[in-house]
Amino acid sequence: MAAALIRRTISLQSSLRHVSSLNVGCAPQPVRLAAFSAIAEAAAPGRVFGACVFERLPLVVPPHPDWEVEHSRWRFEWNLPYFKKYPADFIDEPRTEETDSAVAASNRWEPAPLESEADRSGDVRSLKRRLDQRVFMLVRRKGGSGAWEFPAVEHEEGETIRGSAERALGLTLVREGLQPFFVGNAPAGHVETGEGTTFFHRCQMIAGTVRLVPGGPYSDLRWAAKDELPEFVQDQALLDLFQKML
C-alpha cells in the first residue's frame, strides 16, 4: 500500500510537470504539491500487514467500584428529603399467597459468579474465563518462535486493511458457525516493526464456536485479558499501543 501510494504520487507529479511544460511562452517549472509530498514522505517503503484483534465481550456485569457505590448512597441520601410519601393503601398491593411466593422467589436471586470453572482450572483456551472482562484471542504460529500474537497477514495490492484483517481471521478460524463483527472500516491502531507496519483491526465475537482451521498457519490459541498481555508480548512498542487501543 505504501509503495503503491508513492508510485501514484510520483505519477501525478510527473503529469502536472508535463501539463506545465505545454504552456506557450512559459519555461517548464517543476510542480510540487505539499499535501501529496507529505503523504509520500510519511509512507515509508516496506511491508504492510493487517492484523485481527478478535475479542469476546464481557458476559457478566462487573461489581461497581467503591467510589460509585459511595456516590450512589450519597445521592440517595441527598434526595431523600425531597421524596413524596404516598399513602400506604395507594402503593401497597393486597398480600396473597401468590404475591408472597413471588417476593420470596425474588429474594432468592443471586448474581452470576465472576469466577468460572475455567478460571479455577486455568483453562486459557476456554471462552468461559474472566467473565467480567474483555478477553482477546492470541495464536501461536506453526514452526515459529513460540511467541503469542494476533492473527495477521501481509497486505495485498487492491485490498483494504479491513480486508486483510478479515482474511487473517478466515485463515485462522473455521468460519462455519462463527459470527464475527468487524468494528468499522478503519484500523484501531498501527505500529512499525523491523518487518514493516502492522495495522490492527478490532473484531468482536457475537456467537459460534472457535476452532482453528485444520492445516492452517497456527497451532494453538488462548484467550487473554488486557492485564495479562504483558506476559505474552515482549515488544514495548506493541504493549504501549495495546494499552491505548484495547
Side-chain angles (χ1 to χ4, degrees), residues 83-110:
F83 289 164
K84 184 175 181 179
K85 187 175 182 179
Y86 293 94
D89 58 351
F90 180 76
I91 59 175
D92 291 343
E93 297 180 359
R95 296 187 59 181
T96 63
E97 183 177 350
E98 184 179 353
T99 58
D100 288 346
S101 299
V103 171
S106 64
N107 291 337
R108 289 195 300 268
W109 176 84
E110 294 183 1

PDB file of all heavy atoms in Angstrom, residues 83-110:
ATOM      1  N   PHE A  83     -38.322  13.455  48.567  1.00  0.00           N
ATOM      2  CA  PHE A  83     -39.226  12.392  48.147  1.00  0.00           C
ATOM      3  C   PHE A  83     -40.623  12.637  48.719  1.00  0.00           C
ATOM      4  O   PHE A  83     -40.773  13.105  49.855  1.00  0.00           O
ATOM      5  CB  PHE A  83     -38.725  11.031  48.620  1.00  0.00           C
ATOM      6  CG  PHE A  83     -37.490  10.548  47.896  1.00  0.00           C
ATOM      7  CD1 PHE A  83     -36.731   9.509  48.413  1.00  0.00           C
ATOM      8  CD2 PHE A  83     -37.092  11.129  46.713  1.00  0.00           C
ATOM      9  CE1 PHE A  83     -35.604   9.070  47.753  1.00  0.00           C
ATOM     10  CE2 PHE A  83     -35.970  10.702  46.048  1.00  0.00           C
ATOM     11  CZ  PHE A  83     -35.222   9.664  46.573  1.00  0.00           C
ATOM     12  N   LYS A  84     -41.641  12.315  47.935  1.00  0.00           N
ATOM     13  CA  LYS A  84     -43.017  12.453  48.395  1.00  0.00           C
ATOM     14  C   LYS A  84     -43.508  11.116  48.916  1.00  0.00           C
ATOM     15  O   LYS A  84     -43.366  10.091  48.245  1.00  0.00           O
ATOM     16  CB  LYS A  84     -43.913  12.938  47.259  1.00  0.00           C
ATOM     17  CG  LYS A  84     -45.341  13.199  47.688  1.00  0.00           C
ATOM     18  CD  LYS A  84     -46.158  13.796  46.542  1.00  0.00           C
ATOM     19  CE  LYS A  84     -47.586  14.081  47.007  1.00  0.00           C
ATOM     20  NZ  LYS A  84     -48.393  14.692  45.919  1.00  0.00           N
ATOM     21  N   LYS A  85     -44.088  11.127  50.072  1.00  0.00           N
ATOM     22  CA  LYS A  85     -44.580   9.898  50.689  1.00  0.00           C
ATOM     23  C   LYS A  85     -46.047   9.717  50.335  1.00  0.00           C
ATOM     24  O   LYS A  85     -46.891  10.580  50.610  1.00  0.00           O
ATOM     25  CB  LYS A  85     -44.411   9.950  52.201  1.00  0.00           C
ATOM     26  CG  LYS A  85     -44.740   8.632  52.879  1.00  0.00           C
ATOM     27  CD  LYS A  85     -44.447   8.688  54.369  1.00  0.00           C
ATOM     28  CE  LYS A  85     -44.736   7.346  55.012  1.00  0.00           C
ATOM     29  NZ  LYS A  85     -44.438   7.361  56.484  1.00  0.00           N
ATOM     30  N   TYR A  86     -46.352   8.590  49.687  1.00  0.00           N
ATOM     31  CA  TYR A  86     -47.714   8.286  49.290  1.00  0.00           C
ATOM     32  C   TYR A  86     -48.402   7.468  50.377  1.00  0.00           C
ATOM     33  O   TYR A  86     -47.750   6.746  51.136  1.00  0.00           O
ATOM     34  CB  TYR A  86     -47.739   7.517  47.969  1.00  0.00           C
ATOM     35  CG  TYR A  86     -47.271   8.333  46.783  1.00  0.00           C
ATOM     36  CD1 TYR A  86     -45.947   8.294  46.364  1.00  0.00           C
ATOM     37  CD2 TYR A  86     -48.171   9.135  46.083  1.00  0.00           C
ATOM     38  CE1 TYR A  86     -45.514   9.051  45.277  1.00  0.00           C
ATOM     39  CE2 TYR A  86     -47.751   9.893  44.998  1.00  0.00           C
ATOM     40  CZ  TYR A  86     -46.432   9.842  44.607  1.00  0.00           C
ATOM     41  OH  TYR A  86     -46.011  10.584  43.540  1.00  0.00           O
ATOM     42  N   PRO A  87     -49.706   7.531  50.425  1.00  0.00           N
ATOM     43  CA  PRO A  87     -50.436   6.706  51.403  1.00  0.00           C
ATOM     44  C   PRO A  87     -50.178   5.227  51.184  1.00  0.00           C
ATOM     45  O   PRO A  87     -50.038   4.769  50.046  1.00  0.00           O
ATOM     46  CB  PRO A  87     -51.907   7.071  51.142  1.00  0.00           C
ATOM     47  CG  PRO A  87     -51.863   8.386  50.439  1.00  0.00           C
ATOM     48  CD  PRO A  87     -50.593   8.407  49.661  1.00  0.00           C
ATOM     49  N   ALA A  88     -50.123   4.497  52.280  1.00  0.00           N
ATOM     50  CA  ALA A  88     -49.806   3.066  52.183  1.00  0.00           C
ATOM     51  C   ALA A  88     -50.837   2.317  51.365  1.00  0.00           C
ATOM     52  O   ALA A  88     -50.503   1.404  50.599  1.00  0.00           O
ATOM     53  CB  ALA A  88     -49.684   2.473  53.583  1.00  0.00           C
ATOM     54  N   ASP A  89     -52.115   2.672  51.514  1.00  0.00           N
ATOM     55  CA  ASP A  89     -53.155   1.959  50.763  1.00  0.00           C
ATOM     56  C   ASP A  89     -53.130   2.288  49.275  1.00  0.00           C
ATOM     57  O   ASP A  89     -53.788   1.635  48.475  1.00  0.00           O
ATOM     58  CB  ASP A  89     -54.539   2.277  51.343  1.00  0.00           C
ATOM     59  CG  ASP A  89     -54.824   3.777  51.320  1.00  0.00           C
ATOM     60  OD1 ASP A  89     -53.882   4.554  51.019  1.00  0.00           O
ATOM     61  OD2 ASP A  89     -55.974   4.171  51.595  1.00  0.00           O
ATOM     62  N   PHE A  90     -52.338   3.297  48.896  1.00  0.00           N
ATOM     63  CA  PHE A  90     -52.229   3.678  47.488  1.00  0.00           C
ATOM     64  C   PHE A  90     -51.141   2.881  46.766  1.00  0.00           C
ATOM     65  O   PHE A  90     -51.270   2.581  45.580  1.00  0.00           O
ATOM     66  CB  PHE A  90     -51.939   5.174  47.385  1.00  0.00           C
ATOM     67  CG  PHE A  90     -51.813   5.662  45.966  1.00  0.00           C
ATOM     68  CD1 PHE A  90     -52.938   5.853  45.177  1.00  0.00           C
ATOM     69  CD2 PHE A  90     -50.567   5.919  45.412  1.00  0.00           C
ATOM     70  CE1 PHE A  90     -52.827   6.281  43.876  1.00  0.00           C
ATOM     71  CE2 PHE A  90     -50.448   6.352  44.113  1.00  0.00           C
ATOM     72  CZ  PHE A  90     -51.575   6.539  43.333  1.00  0.00           C
ATOM     73  N   ILE A  91     -50.086   2.541  47.468  1.00  0.00           N
ATOM     74  CA  ILE A  91     -48.952   1.874  46.820  1.00  0.00           C
ATOM     75  C   ILE A  91     -48.802   0.418  47.228  1.00  0.00           C
ATOM     76  O   ILE A  91     -48.174  -0.366  46.509  1.00  0.00           O
ATOM     77  CB  ILE A  91     -47.639   2.620  47.135  1.00  0.00           C
ATOM     78  CG1 ILE A  91     -47.390   2.680  48.635  1.00  0.00           C
ATOM     79  CG2 ILE A  91     -47.668   4.008  46.531  1.00  0.00           C
ATOM     80  CD1 ILE A  91     -46.060   3.285  49.001  1.00  0.00           C
ATOM     81  N   ASP A  92     -49.337   0.008  48.373  1.00  0.00           N
ATOM     82  CA  ASP A  92     -49.188  -1.378  48.821  1.00  0.00           C
ATOM     83  C   ASP A  92     -50.280  -2.240  48.218  1.00  0.00           C
ATOM     84  O   ASP A  92     -51.479  -1.946  48.337  1.00  0.00           O
ATOM     85  CB  ASP A  92     -49.263  -1.468  50.346  1.00  0.00           C
ATOM     86  CG  ASP A  92     -48.051  -0.834  51.010  1.00  0.00           C
ATOM     87  OD1 ASP A  92     -47.047  -0.642  50.283  1.00  0.00           O
ATOM     88  OD2 ASP A  92     -48.104  -0.515  52.207  1.00  0.00           O
ATOM     89  N   GLU A  93     -49.871  -3.323  47.548  1.00  0.00           N
ATOM     90  CA  GLU A  93     -50.832  -4.259  46.991  1.00  0.00           C
ATOM     91  C   GLU A  93     -51.320  -5.204  48.089  1.00  0.00           C
ATOM     92  O   GLU A  93     -50.573  -5.532  49.021  1.00  0.00           O
ATOM     93  CB  GLU A  93     -50.189  -5.063  45.859  1.00  0.00           C
ATOM     94  CG  GLU A  93     -49.750  -4.225  44.665  1.00  0.00           C
ATOM     95  CD  GLU A  93     -49.134  -5.087  43.586  1.00  0.00           C
ATOM     96  OE1 GLU A  93     -49.047  -6.311  43.800  1.00  0.00           O
ATOM     97  OE2 GLU A  93     -48.756  -4.527  42.543  1.00  0.00           O
ATOM     98  N   PRO A  94     -52.531  -5.658  47.960  1.00  0.00           N
ATOM     99  CA  PRO A  94     -53.025  -6.653  48.936  1.00  0.00           C
ATOM    100  C   PRO A  94     -52.168  -7.907  48.891  1.00  0.00           C
ATOM    101  O   PRO A  94     -51.822  -8.414  47.813  1.00  0.00           O
ATOM    102  CB  PRO A  94     -54.460  -6.926  48.461  1.00  0.00           C
ATOM    103  CG  PRO A  94     -54.821  -5.740  47.616  1.00  0.00           C
ATOM    104  CD  PRO A  94     -53.553  -5.268  46.992  1.00  0.00           C
ATOM    105  N   ARG A  95     -51.802  -8.417  50.029  1.00  0.00           N
ATOM    106  CA  ARG A  95     -50.943  -9.592  50.111  1.00  0.00           C
ATOM    107  C   ARG A  95     -51.758 -10.853  49.923  1.00  0.00           C
ATOM    108  O   ARG A  95     -52.790 -11.048  50.556  1.00  0.00           O
ATOM    109  CB  ARG A  95     -50.217  -9.619  51.447  1.00  0.00           C
ATOM    110  CG  ARG A  95     -49.260  -8.451  51.637  1.00  0.00           C
ATOM    111  CD  ARG A  95     -48.439  -8.625  52.900  1.00  0.00           C
ATOM    112  NE  ARG A  95     -47.665  -9.850  52.862  1.00  0.00           N
ATOM    113  CZ  ARG A  95     -46.862 -10.248  53.877  1.00  0.00           C
ATOM    114  NH1 ARG A  95     -46.764  -9.507  54.974  1.00  0.00           N
ATOM    115  NH2 ARG A  95     -46.191 -11.359  53.780  1.00  0.00           N
ATOM    116  N   THR A  96     -51.275 -11.699  49.049  1.00  0.00           N
ATOM    117  CA  THR A  96     -51.878 -13.006  48.825  1.00  0.00           C
ATOM    118  C   THR A  96     -50.777 -14.053  48.843  1.00  0.00           C
ATOM    119  O   THR A  96     -49.580 -13.732  48.882  1.00  0.00           O
ATOM    120  CB  THR A  96     -52.607 -13.057  47.472  1.00  0.00           C
ATOM    121  OG1 THR A  96     -51.647 -12.861  46.421  1.00  0.00           O
ATOM    122  CG2 THR A  96     -53.679 -11.960  47.380  1.00  0.00           C
ATOM    123  N   GLU A  97     -51.168 -15.299  48.785  1.00  0.00           N
ATOM    124  CA  GLU A  97     -50.185 -16.378  48.770  1.00  0.00           C
ATOM    125  C   GLU A  97     -49.326 -16.297  47.506  1.00  0.00           C
ATOM    126  O   GLU A  97     -48.125 -16.573  47.533  1.00  0.00           O
ATOM    127  CB  GLU A  97     -50.899 -17.718  48.841  1.00  0.00           C
ATOM    128  CG  GLU A  97     -49.954 -18.906  48.905  1.00  0.00           C
ATOM    129  CD  GLU A  97     -50.688 -20.219  49.048  1.00  0.00           C
ATOM    130  OE1 GLU A  97     -51.913 -20.207  49.289  1.00  0.00           O
ATOM    131  OE2 GLU A  97     -50.025 -21.262  48.902  1.00  0.00           O
ATOM    132  N   GLU A  98     -49.938 -15.879  46.403  1.00  0.00           N
ATOM    133  CA  GLU A  98     -49.200 -15.771  45.141  1.00  0.00           C
ATOM    134  C   GLU A  98     -48.157 -14.662  45.198  1.00  0.00           C
ATOM    135  O   GLU A  98     -47.018 -14.855  44.768  1.00  0.00           O
ATOM    136  CB  GLU A  98     -50.179 -15.526  44.001  1.00  0.00           C
ATOM    137  CG  GLU A  98     -49.516 -15.496  42.621  1.00  0.00           C
ATOM    138  CD  GLU A  98     -50.531 -15.285  41.518  1.00  0.00           C
ATOM    139  OE1 GLU A  98     -51.744 -15.303  41.800  1.00  0.00           O
ATOM    140  OE2 GLU A  98     -50.086 -15.112  40.364  1.00  0.00           O
ATOM    141  N   THR A  99     -48.550 -13.494  45.721  1.00  0.00           N
ATOM    142  CA  THR A  99     -47.587 -12.395  45.811  1.00  0.00           C
ATOM    143  C   THR A  99     -46.484 -12.708  46.808  1.00  0.00           C
ATOM    144  O   THR A  99     -45.323 -12.357  46.595  1.00  0.00           O
ATOM    145  CB  THR A  99     -48.307 -11.102  46.204  1.00  0.00           C
ATOM    146  OG1 THR A  99     -48.982 -11.292  47.468  1.00  0.00           O
ATOM    147  CG2 THR A  99     -49.313 -10.691  45.145  1.00  0.00           C
ATOM    148  N   ASP A 100     -46.820 -13.379  47.901  1.00  0.00           N
ATOM    149  CA  ASP A 100     -45.789 -13.762  48.875  1.00  0.00           C
ATOM    150  C   ASP A 100     -44.789 -14.721  48.251  1.00  0.00           C
ATOM    151  O   ASP A 100     -43.580 -14.640  48.508  1.00  0.00           O
ATOM    152  CB  ASP A 100     -46.438 -14.392  50.103  1.00  0.00           C
ATOM    153  CG  ASP A 100     -47.179 -13.372  50.957  1.00  0.00           C
ATOM    154  OD1 ASP A 100     -46.949 -12.167  50.728  1.00  0.00           O
ATOM    155  OD2 ASP A 100     -47.986 -13.776  51.813  1.00  0.00           O
ATOM    156  N   SER A 101     -45.261 -15.626  47.408  1.00  0.00           N
ATOM    157  CA  SER A 101     -44.353 -16.570  46.741  1.00  0.00           C
ATOM    158  C   SER A 101     -43.443 -15.844  45.757  1.00  0.00           C
ATOM    159  O   SER A 101     -42.248 -16.154  45.636  1.00  0.00           O
ATOM    160  CB  SER A 101     -45.155 -17.650  46.006  1.00  0.00           C
ATOM    161  OG  SER A 101     -45.953 -18.382  46.899  1.00  0.00           O
ATOM    162  N   ALA A 102     -43.994 -14.852  45.033  1.00  0.00           N
ATOM    163  CA  ALA A 102     -43.183 -14.093  44.080  1.00  0.00           C
ATOM    164  C   ALA A 102     -42.116 -13.291  44.800  1.00  0.00           C
ATOM    165  O   ALA A 102     -40.957 -13.217  44.348  1.00  0.00           O
ATOM    166  CB  ALA A 102     -44.083 -13.177  43.261  1.00  0.00           C
ATOM    167  N   VAL A 103     -42.468 -12.687  45.940  1.00  0.00           N
ATOM    168  CA  VAL A 103     -41.485 -11.929  46.702  1.00  0.00           C
ATOM    169  C   VAL A 103     -40.400 -12.850  47.231  1.00  0.00           C
ATOM    170  O   VAL A 103     -39.197 -12.528  47.189  1.00  0.00           O
ATOM    171  CB  VAL A 103     -42.176 -11.168  47.859  1.00  0.00           C
ATOM    172  CG1 VAL A 103     -41.133 -10.559  48.782  1.00  0.00           C
ATOM    173  CG2 VAL A 103     -43.095 -10.104  47.297  1.00  0.00           C
ATOM    174  N   ALA A 104     -40.780 -14.006  47.716  1.00  0.00           N
ATOM    175  CA  ALA A 104     -39.788 -14.953  48.228  1.00  0.00           C
ATOM    176  C   ALA A 104     -38.854 -15.427  47.124  1.00  0.00           C
ATOM    177  O   ALA A 104     -37.645 -15.579  47.334  1.00  0.00           O
ATOM    178  CB  ALA A 104     -40.500 -16.142  48.875  1.00  0.00           C
ATOM    179  N   ALA A 105     -39.417 -15.636  45.909  1.00  0.00           N
ATOM    180  CA  ALA A 105     -38.578 -16.081  44.791  1.00  0.00           C
ATOM    181  C   ALA A 105     -37.597 -14.989  44.391  1.00  0.00           C
ATOM    182  O   ALA A 105     -36.436 -15.274  44.074  1.00  0.00           O
ATOM    183  CB  ALA A 105     -39.457 -16.473  43.606  1.00  0.00           C
ATOM    184  N   SER A 106     -38.048 -13.724  44.386  1.00  0.00           N
ATOM    185  CA  SER A 106     -37.142 -12.641  44.018  1.00  0.00           C
ATOM    186  C   SER A 106     -36.039 -12.458  45.051  1.00  0.00           C
ATOM    187  O   SER A 106     -34.918 -12.070  44.707  1.00  0.00           O
ATOM    188  CB  SER A 106     -37.934 -11.339  43.848  1.00  0.00           C
ATOM    189  OG  SER A 106     -38.509 -10.946  45.077  1.00  0.00           O
ATOM    190  N   ASN A 107     -36.334 -12.740  46.298  1.00  0.00           N
ATOM    191  CA  ASN A 107     -35.307 -12.608  47.333  1.00  0.00           C
ATOM    192  C   ASN A 107     -34.259 -13.700  47.248  1.00  0.00           C
ATOM    193  O   ASN A 107     -33.174 -13.561  47.813  1.00  0.00           O
ATOM    194  CB  ASN A 107     -35.965 -12.619  48.718  1.00  0.00           C
ATOM    195  CG  ASN A 107     -36.778 -11.364  48.982  1.00  0.00           C
ATOM    196  OD1 ASN A 107     -36.534 -10.325  48.373  1.00  0.00           O
ATOM    197  ND2 ASN A 107     -37.771 -11.455  49.872  1.00  0.00           N
ATOM    198  N   ARG A 108     -34.591 -14.796  46.544  1.00  0.00           N
ATOM    199  CA  ARG A 108     -33.622 -15.889  46.408  1.00  0.00           C
ATOM    200  C   ARG A 108     -32.673 -15.677  45.236  1.00  0.00           C
ATOM    201  O   ARG A 108     -31.791 -16.492  44.987  1.00  0.00           O
ATOM    202  CB  ARG A 108     -34.362 -17.218  46.228  1.00  0.00           C
ATOM    203  CG  ARG A 108     -35.072 -17.724  47.476  1.00  0.00           C
ATOM    204  CD  ARG A 108     -35.451 -19.177  47.319  1.00  0.00           C
ATOM    205  NE  ARG A 108     -36.339 -19.396  46.192  1.00  0.00           N
ATOM    206  CZ  ARG A 108     -37.669 -19.387  46.290  1.00  0.00           C
ATOM    207  NH1 ARG A 108     -38.251 -19.141  47.453  1.00  0.00           N
ATOM    208  NH2 ARG A 108     -38.418 -19.621  45.236  1.00  0.00           N
ATOM    209  N   TRP A 109     -32.823 -14.584  44.501  1.00  0.00           N
ATOM    210  CA  TRP A 109     -31.976 -14.335  43.332  1.00  0.00           C
ATOM    211  C   TRP A 109     -30.535 -14.080  43.764  1.00  0.00           C
ATOM    212  O   TRP A 109     -30.269 -13.384  44.752  1.00  0.00           O
ATOM    213  CB  TRP A 109     -32.498 -13.128  42.571  1.00  0.00           C
ATOM    214  CG  TRP A 109     -31.620 -12.743  41.402  1.00  0.00           C
ATOM    215  CD1 TRP A 109     -31.632 -13.269  40.151  1.00  0.00           C
ATOM    216  CD2 TRP A 109     -30.588 -11.761  41.410  1.00  0.00           C
ATOM    217  NE1 TRP A 109     -30.686 -12.680  39.368  1.00  0.00           N
ATOM    218  CE2 TRP A 109     -30.017 -11.745  40.120  1.00  0.00           C
ATOM    219  CE3 TRP A 109     -30.082 -10.900  42.381  1.00  0.00           C
ATOM    220  CZ2 TRP A 109     -28.976 -10.902  39.766  1.00  0.00           C
ATOM    221  CZ3 TRP A 109     -29.041 -10.063  42.033  1.00  0.00           C
ATOM    222  CH2 TRP A 109     -28.501 -10.053  40.744  1.00  0.00           C
ATOM    223  N   GLU A 110     -29.615 -14.667  43.052  1.00  0.00           N
ATOM    224  CA  GLU A 110     -28.191 -14.478  43.329  1.00  0.00           C
ATOM    225  C   GLU A 110     -27.496 -14.046  42.042  1.00  0.00           C
ATOM    226  O   GLU A 110     -27.799 -14.569  40.964  1.00  0.00           O
ATOM    227  CB  GLU A 110     -27.557 -15.763  43.847  1.00  0.00           C
ATOM    228  CG  GLU A 110     -28.076 -16.207  45.209  1.00  0.00           C
ATOM    229  CD  GLU A 110     -27.368 -17.445  45.698  1.00  0.00           C
ATOM    230  OE1 GLU A 110     -26.455 -17.931  44.974  1.00  0.00           O
ATOM    231  OE2 GLU A 110     -27.723 -17.942  46.782  1.00  0.00           O
TER     232      GLU A 110
END
